Each structure stands twice: as structure tokens, then as C-alpha cells.
Amino acid sequence: MKRRSMLLLGAGAAGALVVGWGVLPPRSRQGRADTLPVVDGEVGLNGWIKITADGNVLLAMHRSEMGQGVHTALAMLVAEELDVSLAKVRLVQAGRDTLYGNVAGFVAALPLHPGDMEPGHETRGVKAGRWIVSKFARELGINMTGGSSSVADAWDVLRLAGATARTQLLGAASLQWKLPLAELVVADGVISHPSGPVGHYGEFAKAAAVTPASTIAVKEAKDWKLIGKPVPRIDLVAKTNGSAGFGIDVRLPGMVYAVVRHCPMLGGSFGRIDSDAAMKLPGVERVVRLGPYAGSTDGVAVVGRSSWHAKQGAQALDIEWRAPPAGVLDSRQIAAALEATARQAAATQGGFAFHAAGDVQAASAAAARRIEAVYHAPYLAHAAMEPINCTAQVKDGKVEVWAPTQLPGMALALAARTAGVGEDAVTLHVTYLGGGFGRRLDIDFVGQAVRIALETNGRPVQLLWPREEDITHDFYRPAGAAVMQASIDAQGAITSLAITSAGDAVTPRWMERGLPALSGPIDLPDKTASEGLFDLPYGIANQRIAHAATHSGVPVGFWRSVGHSHNAFFSECFIDELAFETQKDPVAFRLSLLADMPRHAAVLKLAADKSGWGKPLPAGRARGVALHESFGSIVAEVVEVSLDERQRGRPVVHRVVCAADVGTVVNPAIVAQQMESAVIFGLSAALYGRIDIVGGVVQQTNFPNHPVLKLADAPRVIETHLIASSNPPGGVGEPGTPPIAPAVANALFVLTGKRVRGLPLVV
Amino acid sequence: MDLSVNGQTRTVADAAVDPSMPLLWVLRDVLNLTGTKFGCGVAACGACTVHLDGQAVRSCVTPLASAVGKPVRTIEALGTAEQPHALQKAWIAHQVPQCGYCQSGMLMAAAGLLAKNRDPSDADIDAAITNICRCGTYPRIREAIKTAAKALRGGDTGASPRAVAAA
């Protein structure tokens, strides 16, 4: 607890730098009528909304669409408050203003315990911590799509922007018609009065921009027409006819193509390059040496007439690769070191305690039985379907970049640094992302593309990483190990829980790459390393949950659900072990520990009910369950699993029942889509996912040796059941991933009697 | 070299390409038909699926030389804005895509299946759709294929594959 106070003090010192403003979000994030550039009779009303002459709404879109449905969800918030149909809302790219920064995503970095932050019953410490970090994040203004935070972050801000614009538009009509505002009605952007006057938003926009908004109130839930409805996504026509523009689809006059080859050894470099053979190939025009950009391994790019010509050239290069001076990496050695570190820390009360309550040692000494288990997780690649790419043009002192990125502001800053120009000279276009999963929170490829564009005589160049470069030069989900220890008293009650994990911390490494100015000489404790362990909802009186941060040297990054992705496997499998050891049903056992956490209990009960928990299954099938909170949402999953004897006992997942409390649901159809997505993404990792590093070289290279789930292997049924809630929205893109691996592992234990304590699950 | 793409003859300058250049890159980087995607380059993921002579093929490993003289059909001509293919309608009805990157290949693989099999079973779908989607749209793809197959059998065709090829 003391250490947590210290963290808050640290954040407070940073907060003291920004005490200048008098208002807190969301009101501080509305912008002004002139924040957005206007053309063709458009009128800006605030930093988010413009009205066109024909009465359509233009929404400044600050978040990246990578499949999670964020463009639809955010457009719904504005359409709701403006009383227009979704078809009337068009998206324009948001600029660089700090009002587009992500506040909620940074507030979520606080290591808060769920017992202290129940919605409506937050402790004073939680409120203070959130306030301070909000101020700091608002000042930083980092535009980030990640951490399942987009809707939570926009919830108050965009609804207020829409409600304010609506009030201004109605106010302008009221003044012009000399009729009371309260008597005006709006239908799909058309204002009217029962006495006859009718006009669309476009007719009042100019006047509205100079009409102060009177009383502004966002709608009450009972008045919602869009929020809470399964509204079709706005991006699906383009995504079914080939017209959706991903980064790799940018085509510009005179464009050339580049393909990169990195040093195969992570962190390595190169010496002599023989490019004679490459340069003799038709369609190959140039070789560009690439140093490190925001954490990338050094490499060489070949520029050519097409991506294929460039790749032929890259393959023809004869390069003398050099190992990194610190030595080459080996993932087996790292795994052994992680276990040793975790064991050592467990034995000595070491590591950073993210949560401590009661007296674990006393409880352990008094215990009738002690249970201990060690769990492992491997490195993982993201393998988004759109391989890493970026298009850049450097001409006449200006830089233009087209990037599928989750981090446009930092990408723009890196482009400026790379080209040696001011940020004002850079224009960055965010394309659709063909998957992100956290990989596109790194911006290495943007620096590379701009570097190459400096060599192409003003012509735009599209950099593409072949799939092999994508898998072998990712920023990997860190490997991890955890020592799990519990004490059981003579009555079979769990009296203590000690978890000591070890692994690299992602956030400080990411800060070094992308935000070196904010990166200190020593790492602050990274909540993401222990999330999913320190913040368990279970009522166990004595707890010590600590993490020993390591420095493996492997480039590590954010991978869908981050620390939760492996920590939920550790915690929810171990909880299952404790249920077995105390001879209790896994659902009943969890419920017995959730007396003070009614939302968690309700989610678990819903999953159990909908899955038919406890009811007989066909022979050879078993159920497993897991419950996990992440990104402000609680998800329970019950799976039905069998073993396919024709395929050496490979687990087959037939049915997944998800129950979730995600707070207020903006679009239940998108929530269901994301639960399905998160389950299948997590299943690929649970059943197949691993990255092995030998001699510094990642051994997996492409889908044939890095298998992922395919249609035939996917569960036939994935059901999503949502708890009705009026709490603010939680995350949706990630929270479905953490429970799937432990749920499957727990089912496998029922089937085989054997505990698998490492990933991927090999029976 | 002349290619027949989506019912049109497209001339590709011999100097611009090589007979061994995969059809994928001719479509994307020479003809700027970017609906067909690059995913793996080794015929493993199916993002590059197009129809060659009516068959679904992986264009990342299909040399240009083997496509000359045969009709090539890409996602851009699966349907039209006015007459989307039954699969495109079903894809939207089931809200299939997420990031959408793999969906061109998925749709072309599914269209290849339905052209041969009017009423595919689950096993038929498993065997025909070996494309990779990282967003996990598989369960919806399965249902959407069944919906489209039913629509095609029932006459609610949208645009039939034949009609589009002729257009």
C-alpha cells in the first residue's frame, strides 16, 4: 500500500506541472469553432463537429479503425446527441490538437485494485489518482488507439460535443424564427416547429457557430435512439467490395516500392553489403541502409518498381550480418531465468508488491495445507493480416505520410525527426488498419519509410515488410513465469494467496522507443506486468502479489490484452486448482470468494446459467470456466472441449459462452463481434502461439510454421450475453481474450486429469 | 502481355513485368487493383484469392505467365454497387468483417465454393475456406456462406457470378 502511495505522489509531481487549467475533461476537450479547418461552406462548431452546407455532420475522427468498430461506435455517440441518422455522419481525420489525446487509456495505467474502484464507490485515493493522471494525460495529449479505451475516453467528450452543437443549432433557429427553443423538434438533422418553419442543420450552422449554447444536457438513457442498439457498422460495404483503403493500398502518381530485410538477429546490425546482384535485377533501383527507428533492428531496404521487384532485390543482397554487442538472445535460457527470478523473489518477498493485504507469511505458517504451482507463458507475435507497411513522400521540405497506425501523433513526430523538419511540415494520414492488436502502437516502420523517402527524389515510396520480417521483427508479448502459492486452513478455506511473477515490463521499453523524453533512467513499476494478478476480485484476506521486472533484451510490446493475456491464464488456472484441491465445483468455489464483488458474481452466474453448467455433456466432452476483469469490463467464459484423437489429442473447442459486464453498451452487435474476435484471437495463442528465439533469431517466420486458428478449427458457437448496466462504458476489444486460455486449460484438466501449466496448451 | 481482368483486356507493358511475377503484384502494383491483398506470399493465408478461369486461386503464387489468356476476376468485380453478390449481401447481413483485410480473399474463396456447390455442408465449408482471419470472423463467415447459398438457390441472387463475369 505504501508503494502505491509513492506512485501516486510521483504522478502528483507530474500533475503539479499542469495545474494551470481550471477545468477538467470533458469540458476541456471541446475545442473551438475554428479548431477544425473548413472548406466548401462547412461550418465548424467545435473541435469535433462541422456541419456541411447541405446539413450533414462531419466528425473529426481521432481513433484508428482496426476492426474493433470504433468508427461506428464514436459516430453513434455524436449522431445520438445531434439527432441525426448514422448515414448523415461522415468522418474526417482529426488533426494534431491535444484535445484528441487519450485520457482514459492513460488513467487505466494506474495500479488500482478493483475493491477500491467499484463504480460509484471509488475510494478517495482512486479519485485523486485518476484526477491527477487525467490532468497529466490531457496535457500530454497523446493520440492513441489502444487499451480498449476509445469509447470510455470519448463517452462524455463526444456526447457533450454533440449536445452542445445541437443546442447551438436549435438556438440559432430559435433566434431566427423568434420561436421558443423548447418548442423546436429535430428529426434526422431537420429542425421544425409545429407552426410550420422547417430547416436543416446546414441552414443554421453559420449562425449556430456564434450562438452561445444555453443549458446543455446530454440525453438521458431513456431517450436514446441509437446507443444500445445493434446498429450496422459503417465500414462494411467498403470492406466487402475491395474499396476499403488500408495502408498497403495507398497508390500515388510516380510511387515506388520498398521492401526491407532486417538483421535476422534481434538487435543486430550489418557490415558489408554486396548489392551488385540486386542492382542488376530489372526493376530494382536503389539500396537504402536503415539504422534503428523507434526500436527497430537495423536493416536494408531495396527500392523497386513494385513490391515484388523490390523483394527480389532484397533477397539478392549479400549482407554481412553482425550480432548485437550484448550477445544473442535465446528464449529457452530466458524462460529458465524467468522461473529462477520468480522463485527467488517468491522465496525472499522480492519483486514490487502491486497488492498486499494482511499477513501472508503468518497465514502460510498457520495453514493446514499449502499449494504451490509454477506457470509459464511464451513470447507471442501479433501477426496482423496486413503486413507492416507505410507510405511516405518527402518533397520541397514537406513530408507526407500514409500510415496504418494506432499512434498518429507520435508517428508524425518521428517522421519529422527522421526528415529533419518541424512537425508543422508533416502531414499524416491514418488509413484503415488491417489489424493492430497492439503491434501498431509501435512506429518503427514510419521512421523507416520516411528515411527511404529521403532517397527517392521526391517520389512517394511504399515500404512493405514481407510476412517473414513481420513475424521475426515484432515487438513481442513478453514471456512470463509465475510462482503461485496458496494456504488452505483445516476447514478448506483459502487463507492466503501469494503470486510472484517475473517478466519484462512493456511500458518502460515502449516509452524508451517512442517517448524517450519522458523515459527516465530507472523503470517505474509497470502495472501491465502484474495486471490480471494483483487486481483479482477474490476475497482472500492475506495476499502478496508482486512482480520482478526483468530485462531480457527481446523487443517487447503491447499484445491484445497485454499483461492480462498470460496473467489470467496463471491466475484462473490456479484458482481452478484451488477449487479442485478443496473439492469444490469451480463455479461455486469462485462464487464463494466473490461475496463482496456482486458484479463479478453476476457475470459468472450468467455464464454458468447460459452454458448449462453442471448439466451432462456427451462422452468425451468437458466444460471449463474462467472469470476475468480487464480494461474496465468483466468477462466470464465457459467452454466445451473435447480431444481429437485423430490429431494426437489436439483440443477442439466446440462452444464458448461469454457473459460480460462492459458497463453501458453502445452497440451490442459490435460487443458480440469483439467477444467472438477476442476468443478466437486468444484461442490461436492458447493452442498454437509461441515465438522461439535461438541464436538471436526468431524461429517462426510465416503462417506455415506459425499456425493460427482457421475456420475449420474455430468454435461453431460463440454466444455473448451482456449484463444490463448503467455504469460508464468499459473496454470491449480486449477483455474477451484473457479468459479463453484458462477456460480451455481448465476443461482439459477435467478431460485428462493433467494440469497444463504452460502455453501453448500441449496435452 | 494482355490480361483479361474483370471482363476487360488490360495490357501490361512487357518492360514492367516478368512472366514469373506473381499475378497478385501485377494486379496490385501494376494495375492498381488493390482490393486483392498480400498476406503471406506463400499461399498460406488466402488474402490474395482471385478467380482464374472460374477457379479460386492464390494469386501470390500464380505466375503472371499462367494467367495470360484466362479470365481473371477480382473482388472489384464480385458484384456492383447496384447489384452486390449474394455473398456481399450476406456478409453485411451477418456483419462479418472487422478489420476487413482478409475479407476480399474470403469472399472470393466463398464465391469459388458456391460456384461449384450450391448447398455446401459444414464440412464443405471447412474444406474450401482455408483462408486466415486474425479478427476471428470465422463463425460469421460460415453462417453468411449458408445464407448466400440459400439466397442463390432461392432466386434472390443479387448478381449471379455469371452475370457479373459477363458485365
Side-chain angles (χ1 to χ4, degrees), chain A residues 265-303:
Chain A
M265 289 166 281
L266 290 168
S269 59
F270 53 86
R272 185 190 52 79
I273 301 173
D274 181 349
S275 55
D276 288 355
M279 292 302 293
K280 279 183 193 143
L281 291 171
V284 171
E285 64 171 67
R286 189 177 293 274
V287 175
V288 182
R289 292 161 181 252
L290 298 173
Y293 292 92
S296 67
T297 288
D298 292 0
V300 185
V302 171
V303 179

Side-chain angles (χ1 to χ4, degrees), chain B residues 51-78:
Chain B
H51 293 181
L52 181 62
D53 217 3
Q55 302 285 319
V57 299
R58 300 208 163 164
S59 65
C60 74
V61 294
T62 304
L64 172 62
S66 71
V68 171
K70 296 176 188 164
V72 176
R73 185 157 160 245
T74 70
I75 184 69
E76 284 87 353
L78 182 63

